[in-house]
């Protein structure tokens, strides 16, 4: 991690480049997202951190690297425009996946759950501009709109069932 801290914006590094400095064996982000959901032995898991494997998330690690090196947050890493697991989860929840102003959402005719970036705050006064636009668009289309951390949804899709099933 000490090397990542020295790879600042003046060196033109991205979060992924900083991560590659910190973890030389790390494969490319786009490629890695196809095989690794949150963490694996190829990115963050080791024997030494075995007790924390369930908490490790390479996307969140890269987000934090970007922020600590003064770079803008790449929200698309955590907010995919399309992903098979979101489609499957929506189907299992008798709902539909959609994208609202760049933010993935799970919707029924009345209810909408916007799947937000793990580092976005949930209080309206602190909404990210993209988050605010998505909320406004969702409120124009659905009776009830709720925000839910996409990382929490990834780990436990059933967590939004109660909200989606309201009529
Ligand atoms: Zn991995």
């Amino acid at each position: 991690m000490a090397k990542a801290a020295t790879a600042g914006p003046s060196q033109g590094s991205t979060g992924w480049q900083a991560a590659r400095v910190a973890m030389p064996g790390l494969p490319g982000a786009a490629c890695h997202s196809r095989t690794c959901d949150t963490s694996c032995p190829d990115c963050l898991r080791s024997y030494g951190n075995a007790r924390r494997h369930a908490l490790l998330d390479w996307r969140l690690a890269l987000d934090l690297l970007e922020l600590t090196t003064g770079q803008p947050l790449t929200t698309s890493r955590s907010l995919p425009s399309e992903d098979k697991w979101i489609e499957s989860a929506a189907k299992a929840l008798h709902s539909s996946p959609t994208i609202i102003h760049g933010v993935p959402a799970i919707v029924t005719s009345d209810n909408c759950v916007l799947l937000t970036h793990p580092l976005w705050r949930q209080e309206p006064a602190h909404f990210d501009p993209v988050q605010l636009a998505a909320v406004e668009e969702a409120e124009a289309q659905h009776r009830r709109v709720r925000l839910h951390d996409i990382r929490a949804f990834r780990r436990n899709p059933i967590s939004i069932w109660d909200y989606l099933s309201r009529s």
Side-chain angles (χ1 to χ4, degrees), residues 4-10 13-15 18 62-72:
T6 61
S10 62
S13 66
T14 64
L62 291 177
D63 291 345
L64 293 175
L65 278 169
E66 281 181 342
L67 293 174
T68 57
T69 57
Q71 298 168 52

Side-chain angles (χ1 to χ4, degrees), residues 16 26-27 32-33 35-45 58:
W16 194 250
L26 197 61
H32 198 64
S33 68
T35 58
C36 177
D37 195 26
T38 55
S39 65
C40 71
D42 290 335
C43 59
L44 298 176
R45 290 185 180 193
W58 64 268

Side-chain angles (χ1 to χ4, degrees), residues 73-139:
L73 183 63
T74 306
T75 55
S76 60
R77 190 169 36 242
S78 287
L79 303 176
S81 59
E82 60 179 52
D83 218 329
K84 200 76 177 160
W85 72 269
I86 294 178
E87 223 176 287
S88 301
K91 189 176 177 181
L93 294 167
H94 306 292
S95 56
S96 307
T98 189
I99 301 290
I100 299 177
H101 203 80
V103 177
I106 306 293
V107 299
T108 62
S109 57
D110 285 342
N111 303 316
C112 171
V113 177
L114 285 166
L115 302 173
T116 60
H117 191 281
L119 298 179
W120 283 353
R121 292 183 65 176
Q122 304 288 314
E123 306 92 347
H126 301 285
F127 280 173
D128 177 272
V130 172
Q131 185 182 14
L132 178 61
V135 168
E136 289 173 350
E137 193 175 323
E139 286 176 342

